[in-house]
Amino acid sequence: MHRPTVVIAGATGFIGRWFIERFHEKFRIIALSRSEMKPEAGYDKAEWRQVELYSLSSTEAALHKADYAIYLVHSMQPTTRLHQGNFEDTDLLLADNFARAARANGVKQILFMGGILPDYEAVEDMSRHLRSRYEVEVTLGATGVPVTALRAGIIVGAEGSSFTMIRKLVERLPVLICPSWCQSDTQPVELDDALRMLEYCIGREETYHQHYDIGGPNPTTYMDMIRTVADLLGKKRIIRPVRFFSPGLSKFWVALFTDTSRELVSPLVESLRHDLVATPNKLLDQFPDRKDFRTAARRALFGKEELPPLPKRVRGPKAERNTVRSVQRLPNPMGHTATYVARIYQRWLPILFRTLINVHSEGDLSSFRIGSTTLLQLQFIPDRSDDDRQLFYINGGRLVRRKDYGWLEFRRVLNGEFVISAIHEFVPALPWYLYVMTQARAHTIVMDRFGQYLNQKP
């Protein structure tokens, strides 16, 4: 019997691991991980492939022979010693890589697990996290591969991060003061219900180019979820609402009392200033037996299932330590191509530095010089470039220590509204702390000024 091949980006996370556990007999699963994985002998639930999602060529190789793709990647932890840029721009870059790789491999459908969006607010007024989820959804569909987006609130299951935070707060705090974000409406969904809806959409053409809110049968609030969990655990807790939002304080105490990083807590708290309730839709109609929060919480707390373990990570060769990644979003009000932006950057930089720096180009090689000294040398790669992406290898210059490692790219994203400028795996020649204090700061200032220039240029 033929089993369709499903590739999962984010396979080491909560949803990815449970999807493999539930559906490995129905699908041939390719699980992607940044680390090399070595399963035990006889393991047959998934083929684990190592991937660097920042690299388009690595992502293309990882999606080889996939029929369908599930994208579960959220803000990634920095993979370089210095990461300049915010999670929104990083997520945009990763989604663009994945969409391009899916198109190159003839993937039939991308399924994306995002967040419920408040239908009463414009995208620009949403929290940074929800706005980023929407931008990723748009970017995944920009290359023409059909996208099915499932927009979820809290997914309630054993060892799920959001539910675990609620459980730890109840277990550790005898008094819970609930600010206004705890009183916003939300609609959690039980893990197996979310997985069933995800599986239902795979290869189902009527779900292509569609988005669906998913949730349990009824809305609730965080404060009511806290009360329910306390009741299930048999904990007598004093739970009091207060009429203020105070996101900074909320992030601090949630992170402190749940042993959770602020990077994970921050987007959750910021998003909960919105009411996040699922809009009725055809997908929810197919699953009328969805579990309510109390049933889902009881199973997560007392069920016998545990989060499926990961295969053993293989320790690879020692990586280059002093690497830098810098990702900036630049305005592009005229909708210029990445080709145009890359070329104008080479002409604009000497103007900024008042001819102190000059650019010498010969064929596909460009050198940024002060006098006769080459600071930086870029090799344009035409066969990996197009009008939406321009790729340059950083292969020379006095500011570069590793001449076989880094690359620069410009990408046109979000229907041309922005251009992403990104430097990857750059290894500076300057001593590390001197680089951080000088060249790194200078690069941020230069790209900010270039963004201002693009915003003004007719």
Side-chain angles (χ1 to χ4, degrees), residues 362-377:
E362 185 173 338
D364 292 330
L365 199 65
S366 295
S367 301
F368 294 78
R369 299 174 176 173
I370 292 181
S372 60
T373 302
T374 298
L375 301 177
L376 200 69
Q377 182 173 282

Side-chain angles (χ1 to χ4, degrees), residues 30-255:
I30 298 170
L32 304 186
S33 168
R34 189 170 186 271
S35 302
E36 182 183 353
M37 297 295 204
K38 186 178 181 180
E40 299 287 341
Y43 176 90
D44 61 355
K45 294 180 180 178
E47 172 193 347
W48 286 86
R49 290 182 184 174
Q50 187 176 13
V51 64
E52 175 53 85
L53 291 176
Y54 286 104
S55 165
L56 179 57
S57 58
S58 176
T59 309
E60 287 177 347
L63 269 63
H64 182 58
K65 292 189 176 180
D67 297 310
Y68 307 101
I70 299 175
Y71 192 77
L72 303 172
V73 177
H74 291 280
S75 310
M76 299 183 70
Q77 295 295 325
T79 58
T80 52
R81 188 175 183 187
L82 176 65
H83 186 113
Q84 294 176 290
N86 57 45
F87 75 85
E88 302 106 300
D89 298 344
T90 299
D91 276 353
L92 201 57
L93 175 70
L94 296 171
D96 190 62
N97 259 353
F98 196 81
R100 286 169 170 269
R103 177 180 62 186
N105 281 282
V107 170
K108 301 171 186 175
Q109 178 193 23
I110 298 173
L111 297 103
F112 171 58
M113 186 72 77
I116 293 178
L117 305 178
D119 57 8
Y120 54 87
E121 290 195 29
V123 172
E124 58 269 19
D125 295 328
M126 295 178 190
S127 71
R128 292 171 60 203
H129 176 69
L130 290 179
R131 187 170 61 246
S132 176
R133 295 296 88 205
Y134 174 75
E135 289 181 344
V136 167
E137 183 180 316
V138 171
T139 301
L140 288 173
T143 63
V145 179
V147 170
T148 303
L150 304 188
R151 298 173 175 175
I154 297 172
I155 298 178
V156 183
E159 298 186 49
S161 57
S162 296
F163 182 75
T164 297
M165 283 190 278
I166 295 174
R167 176 180 59 78
K168 287 183 176 180
L169 287 174
V170 170
E171 289 176 338
R172 297 178 180 183
L173 294 175
V175 178
L176 292 103
I177 303 301
C178 294
S180 59
W181 62 265
C182 288
Q183 302 162 54
S184 299
D185 287 334
T186 188
Q187 196 160 347
V189 60
E190 199 267 342
L191 170 66
D192 271 2
D193 288 340
L195 291 173
R196 287 191 301 141
M197 286 185 269
L198 182 62
E199 184 270 334
Y200 174 86
C201 292
I202 295 176
R204 198 173 294 270
E205 294 188 9
E206 61 265 31
T207 70
Y208 290 6
H209 306 290
Q210 301 293 327
H211 60 80
Y212 303 98
D213 292 349
I214 64 173
N218 301 303
T220 184
T221 67
Y222 256 83
M223 192 162 68
D224 284 339
M225 287 191 285
I226 289 170
R227 287 194 179 106
T228 298
V229 171
D231 182 54
L232 289 171
L233 290 174
K235 303 286 188 181
K236 293 184 178 180
R237 295 293 183 250
I238 299 172
I239 302 170
R240 294 288 184 267
V242 291
R243 293 184 176 277
F244 60 85
F245 180 59
S246 184
L249 179 60
S250 295
K251 294 173 192 176
F252 173 77
W253 67 260
V254 172

Side-chain angles (χ1 to χ4, degrees), residues 54-57 60 93 96-97 100 337-339 342 380-393 407-412 420 424:
Y54 286 104
S55 165
L56 179 57
S57 58
E60 287 177 347
L93 175 70
D96 190 62
N97 259 353
R100 286 169 170 269
T337 64
T339 305
F380 177 58
I381 310 300
D383 62 339
R384 300 290 294 172
S385 300
D386 54 46
D387 273 347
D388 287 327
R389 180 187 187 237
Q390 294 284 287
L391 175 64
F392 301 83
Y393 290 156
W407 71 96
L408 163 72
E409 61 180 344
F410 292 90
R411 291 173 184 251
R412 185 175 182 266
I420 293 287
H424 302 276

